Amino acid sequence: MNNLFQVAIHYDNDNGFIEYDCASKTIKVQLEDAAKRQEVEAYLSTTQVIRAAQHTLVDFMEWQAKPNEDVRTLQLALARLWVTTGVHVDWSRPVA
């Protein structure tokens, strides 16, 4: 079983990635732009209010969670990363 979840990110021409270690529940952000990296790290270390559909598209539940709790919570937080930080998540681009 792979204990690492990785997803590519970019900000302008700065390509990087986010790596989540499932065993230690730690998040690593790799971006050359130090200020933007720190902004993403701060966002991912802050408790988020997440609204997610449960059984239907109109059946929402709201809860507070830290993105490092598990992969699902991290993915939900990443879905809102661009709105907060301007950093895009490249879901389909492999991390090389």
Side-chain angles (χ1 to χ4, degrees):
M1 182 177 155
N2 188 355
N3 281 330
L4 289 180
F5 169 79
Q6 295 179 319
V7 65
I9 57 174
H10 76 271
Y11 176 72
D12 290 337
N13 292 325
D14 187 357
N15 292 315
F17 64 91
I18 293 174
E19 181 177 274
Y20 174 71
D21 184 319
C22 299
S24 65
K25 297 188 176 195
T26 56
I27 298 172
K28 174 185 172 185
V29 178
Q30 176 62 45
L31 272 177
E32 293 298 320
D33 185 320
K36 196 51 75 169
R37 181 180 65 247
Q38 290 171 351
E39 186 178 353
V40 172
E41 289 170 343
Y43 170 78
L44 294 175
S45 66
T46 304
T47 299
Q48 304 291 318
V49 175
I50 298 173
R51 293 186 70 224
Q54 297 304 301
H55 304 288
T56 69
L57 293 177
V58 295
D59 178 23
F60 283 90
M61 185 176 105
E62 189 173 282
W63 77 94
Q64 291 187 0
K66 285 195 97 171
N68 70 333
E69 285 181 20
D70 54 41
V71 172
R72 181 176 181 259
T73 306
L74 175 62
Q75 289 171 329
L76 288 170
L78 290 175
R80 295 157 179 83
L81 182 68
W82 179 78
V83 174
T84 305
T85 67
V87 173
H88 295 266
V89 177
D90 298 327
W91 296 103
S92 62
R93 183 169 58 92
V95 175

